[in-house]
Amino acid sequence: MSAPPNKQEQEETLTFPSSHAALIDPYLPTLSPEKENEDRWEKMNGKVYLTLTYAHSLDAALSLSPGVRTALSGRLSKAMTHYLRARHDAILVGVGTAVADDPGLNSRVRLADCSTRQPRPVVLDPRGRWAFGAESKVVRLAAEGKGLGPWVLVREGAVIDEGRRKILERVGGGFMFVPVGTEGRFQWGDVLRVLGREGVRSVMVEGGGEVINSLLAADKNGLVDSVIVTIAPTWLGQGGVVVSPPRVEGPNGGPPQQVRLADVRWCPMGDDVVLCGRIAK
Ligand SMILES: NC(=O)C1=CN([C@@H]2O[C@H](COP(=O)(O)OP(=O)(O)OC[C@H]3O[C@@H](n4cnc5c(N)ncnc54)[C@H](O)[C@@H]3O)[C@@H](O)[C@H]2O)C=CC1
Ligand SMILES: Nc1nc(O)c(N)c(N[C@@H]2O[C@H](COP(=O)(O)O)[C@@H](O)[C@H]2O)n1
């Protein structure tokens, strides 16, 4: 289950049937002409559309352990993920995922009109931990024209390695600076503002555990517009990277508040099931 995919598997073009896309589309940002998008953007006071999406096991694990790339999605749900990537302006992961998986973060699905569309890879790396090089998959794919150059979000005041800056800029990517709070984390609102300023109108947040849990904990501000989770029919066992946000105590010592989904749709996809919803207010 944890064997890394070979090069051929990683680079083959995927197809996602339009009958399945129709089930997911109501949870995605609309595909409208640029002018309409900008009008909506203004009406929403510059709120970037945020889709939280990932694959987990029956015991809510994203991977066997923090450093281990773990294939969970089947063929069809994997194609769905690549469809989602084509339907968002950006795809965001934490540095833990970038280091563990060396991900491509591009879209390999052919859309109904036979075109492909690439999201901007974004990596949250406040302390500059990601030791990427020209051979890192996301950089290589951008150099080959199969994806966009990544944006790496680091803390304001971070010292940037010149060599790394050049590697990113050569493929159209770059470093961006975001203020951090006392815990050394970005506020999600700041992250979305920085992306919005650069023209991003929609972002899918893909993981890993720390990113997802911190986003769910922050969602009292209504940042998450939709949630699309692939559930794979397997238990990974204890020790995995698990989605389980910190509890928020209820008022007056009552039971903890739950983060619950509303407007729910369950879509079987091969052996997996894809759960779509919106966070209940
Ligand atoms: N099955 C799936 O769909 C996915 C699985 N994964 C798996 O998840 C695992 C990695 O997860 P984690 O170790 O939890 O790492 P992570 O990818 O969540 O990255 C954690 C790091 O991101 C940064 N970060 C997170 N939230 C931040 C915030 N609010 N502000 C600033 N920086 C922030 C911090 O530097 C933190 O140390 C890997 O094994 C990977 O394979 C990752 C993505 C999707
Ligand atoms: N949807 C989904 N299903 C799985 O089974 C996964 N392991 C992941 N992981 C995410 O996808 C990234 C790898 O992407 P590339 O194929 O290299 O483009 C990985 O880093 C996780 O973010 N997702």
Side-chain angles (χ1 to χ4, degrees), residues 185-268:
R185 283 175 179 273
F186 306 137
Q187 299 286 319
W188 279 98
D190 289 338
V191 170
L192 297 186
R193 250 187 306 283
V194 166
L195 298 182
R197 239 183 2 237
E198 298 298 324
V200 167
R201 300 293 175 257
S202 56
V203 60
M204 58 186 271
V205 174
E206 197 168 85
E210 213 179 310
V211 163
I212 296 169
N213 292 329
S214 86
L215 183 56
L216 288 172
D219 199 61
K220 46 189 176 298
N221 303 324
L223 297 170
V224 178
D225 292 283
S226 61
V227 178
I228 302 177
V229 179
T230 297
I231 302 166
T234 182
W235 287 272
L236 291 187
Q238 292 169 18
V241 176
V242 167
V243 177
S244 183
R247 279 194 175 162
V248 177
E249 290 313 315
N252 308 322
Q257 292 174 8
Q258 294 181 20
V259 185
R260 218 191 135 81
L261 290 182
D263 191 13
V264 164
R265 180 176 282 182
W266 293 88
C267 314

Side-chain angles (χ1 to χ4, degrees), residues 47-259:
K47 161 78 177 69
V48 174
Y49 190 100
L50 192 158
T51 305
L52 174 60
T53 181
Y54 53 90
H56 75 36
S57 64
L58 295 176
D59 40 1
L62 296 167
S63 65
L64 284 161
S65 65
V68 179
R69 183 174 170 130
T70 307
L72 287 166
S73 299
R75 211 179 154 69
L76 195 53
S77 50
K78 181 176 172 185
M80 180 207 65
T81 295
H82 282 258
Y83 175 70
L84 298 185
R85 289 179 178 188
R87 289 287 311 267
H88 290 81
D89 292 339
I91 174 170
L92 182 150
V93 297
V95 62
T97 297
V99 170
D101 291 0
D102 186 24
L105 304 178
N106 67 342
S107 174
R108 298 197 301 280
V109 85
R110 210 185 291 284
L111 296 170
D113 63 0
C114 288
S115 65
T116 52
R117 191 171 171 269
Q118 296 300 338
R120 172 73 59 186
V122 176
V123 178
L124 295 192
D125 188 13
R127 283 178 289 151
R129 266 172 60 202
W130 188 28
F132 60 87
E135 71 295 343
S136 299
K137 193 173 158 202
V138 65
V139 176
R140 180 175 56 78
L141 288 172
E144 291 170 0
K146 295 176 182 164
L148 302 183
W151 291 344
V152 182
L153 270 47
V154 293
R155 69 174 164 78
E156 250 172 20
V159 179
I160 298 301
D161 177 275
E162 256 319 278
R164 293 227 163 84
R165 188 178 62 74
K166 283 194 186 131
I167 288 172
L168 289 183
E169 288 180 358
R170 243 181 255 132
V171 295
F175 286 100
M176 286 179 189
F177 298 89
V178 181
V180 289
T182 45
E183 290 175 342
R185 283 175 179 273
F186 306 137
Q187 299 286 319
W188 279 98
D190 289 338
V191 170
L192 297 186
R193 250 187 306 283
V194 166
L195 298 182
R197 239 183 2 237
E198 298 298 324
V200 167
R201 300 293 175 257
S202 56
V203 60
M204 58 186 271
V205 174
E206 197 168 85
E210 213 179 310
V211 163
I212 296 169
N213 292 329
S214 86
L215 183 56
L216 288 172
D219 199 61
K220 46 189 176 298
N221 303 324
L223 297 170
V224 178
D225 292 283
S226 61
V227 178
I228 302 177
V229 179
T230 297
I231 302 166
T234 182
W235 287 272
L236 291 187
Q238 292 169 18
V241 176
V242 167
V243 177
S244 183
R247 279 194 175 162
V248 177
E249 290 313 315
N252 308 322
Q257 292 174 8
Q258 294 181 20
V259 185

